[in-house]
Amino acid sequence: MKKHHTLLYHLAAIVTVAIWGSTFVSTKLLLLGGLTAAQIFTVRFIIAYVLMLLFSLARGHHRWLSRTWKDELTMVGLGVTGGSLYFLTENTALNYTTTTNTSLIVCLCPLFAALLIALAYKSERLDKVQIVGSLMAALGVSVVVMNGRFVLNLSPLGDALAFCACLCWAVYSLLMIPASQRYSSMFITRKVFFYGLVTMLPYFAFYPEMPSLSLLLQTDILANILFLGCVASMLCFLVWNWAIKRLGAVTATNYVYLNPVFTIIVAWLVLSERITPWFLLGTVLVLVGLYLTRKKSAP
């Protein structure tokens, strides 16, 4: 029974990453439809927060604040690193550097997450086999993202923003460890949405424009917004935080290596983009690397 439950946790993490990988297509369609990156983030998080709040109240979860101010500050940190700052830096990076650079840097966050967590928790340190697996998965991500074009167009500002997004998700994984030990996934997820929105307010003080209701009600726009808000945000953040609670931050975060793999598969299905031999090679490296990260060195 325990093995069955463990398999369920891994499957939940993989499905969540698969859905997040598909959000690139929805976000791209919304950007082409006239929305900005900040508007997309804000609308999807408003939808997610309202749904999460209603769901929590319906389940009888009426807690509004954490038990201590220190814990509440941890929730603020989760809202910033998993919400406002992460999405702002990742999407803004696309304005200054290539999609390849951004995808490559952001999807390497499991390496930085493992490093941060290992520095904070000795019990979470990787052994030699797991380190090799992590590096192999990172190499696989590089092969998938670069797709045979082994040339990086360096852009200091854009690459720095992408690296900031990478660090944000690594810090989010680190902060989830103490948070998940003290609070339910439902409470944490609601706090992430709330503080993600609150910490986004300073941005709108400088760029106050929001999309018109007529634009949001267009069929294609509405469908993609609802997908991002209801599924990719509300449902996926809830499941992801639950998976981290059950699997541990390092194990769950390693599945982020699969993100570009799922992105390309969805782009192939929806946008008719081509699957190349480089993609297949990179995917094999990612899968073998993930397998090795689950192994322990022989004593």
Side-chain angles (χ1 to χ4, degrees):
M1 182 64 69
K2 183 177 180 181
K3 184 177 181 180
H4 173 73
H5 286 169
T6 301
L7 181 62
L8 178 62
Y9 306 146
H10 286 283
L11 182 61
I14 293 172
V15 171
T16 300
V17 171
I19 294 173
W20 279 342
S22 70
T23 60
F24 171 79
V25 177
S26 290
T27 301
K28 183 174 182 178
L29 292 174
L30 289 173
L31 290 170
L32 293 173
L35 277 73
T36 68
Q39 291 170 349
I40 295 170
F41 161 77
T42 303
V43 173
R44 69 183 280 188
F45 260 48
I46 288 175
I47 294 173
Y49 178 70
V50 171
L51 290 176
M52 196 71 238
L53 180 60
L54 293 174
F55 181 62
S56 298
L57 294 176
R59 294 290 299 272
H61 296 266
H62 301 292
R63 176 182 289 276
W64 294 99
L65 294 174
S66 305
R67 298 185 183 94
T68 67
W69 283 108
K70 182 179 179 181
D71 288 348
E72 193 68 16
L73 288 175
T74 299
M75 300 300 171
V76 175
L78 288 170
V80 172
T81 57
S84 56
L85 186 58
Y86 171 80
F87 282 98
L88 269 180
T89 51
E90 180 186 51
N91 293 328
T92 305
L94 293 171
N95 293 326
Y96 298 99
T97 189
T98 64
T99 302
T100 298
N101 285 29
T102 303
S103 300
L104 179 58
I105 294 171
V106 171
C107 288
L108 293 180
C109 74
L111 281 177
F112 296 96
L115 177 60
L116 286 178
I117 293 171
L119 290 175
Y121 300 93
K122 290 183 178 179
S123 61
E124 296 286 345
R125 291 179 180 174
L126 303 180
D127 62 26
K128 293 180 180 179
V129 172
Q130 292 171 321
I131 291 173
V132 170
S134 294
L135 293 175
M136 183 176 291
L139 176 62
V141 167
S142 302
V143 173
V144 168
V145 172
M146 297 180 74
N147 198 26
R149 297 182 296 271
F150 299 102
V151 177
L152 285 177
N153 298 311
L154 299 180
S155 172
L157 178 58
D159 294 343
L161 287 168
F163 184 68
C164 181
C166 174
L167 288 182
C168 278
W169 198 254
V171 173
Y172 179 86
S173 302
L174 176 63
L175 293 177
M176 272 298 300
I177 295 177
S180 62
Q181 292 172 349
R182 294 176 58 81
Y183 300 95
S184 68
S185 300
M186 191 179 302
F187 179 78
I188 295 170
T189 305
R190 180 157 51 87
K191 284 292 187 178
V192 169
F193 295 147
F194 176 76
Y195 283 118
L197 289 169
V198 168
T199 54
M200 194 70 178
L201 293 177
Y203 177 88
F204 284 103
F206 294 96
Y207 305 98
E209 184 178 356
M210 285 295 289
S212 65
L213 184 60
S214 60
L215 176 61
L216 293 177
L217 291 180
Q218 291 180 18
T219 304
D220 292 344
I221 298 294
L222 181 62
N224 284 290
I225 281 291
L226 289 177
F227 169 71
L228 291 177
C230 301
V231 180
S233 293
M234 187 270 190
L235 182 60
C236 284
F237 267 85
L238 181 61
V239 173
W240 182 255
N241 292 339
W242 173 74
I244 285 182
K245 188 181 184 74
R246 301 296 181 178
L247 295 175
V250 173
T251 299
T253 304
N254 277 336
Y255 284 117
V256 174
Y257 286 127
L258 290 170
N259 192 296
V261 175
F262 288 119
T263 297
I264 292 177
I265 291 175
V266 173
W268 170 62
L269 292 172
V270 177
L271 302 177
S272 300
E273 294 190 2
R274 193 166 60 94
I275 296 292
T276 68
W278 290 107
F279 167 79
L280 298 176
L281 173 61
T283 300
V284 170
L285 289 173
V286 169
L287 293 176
V288 173
L290 287 175
Y291 173 78
L292 292 177
T293 61
R294 300 291 300 139
K295 295 293 184 180
K296 287 285 187 181
S297 298

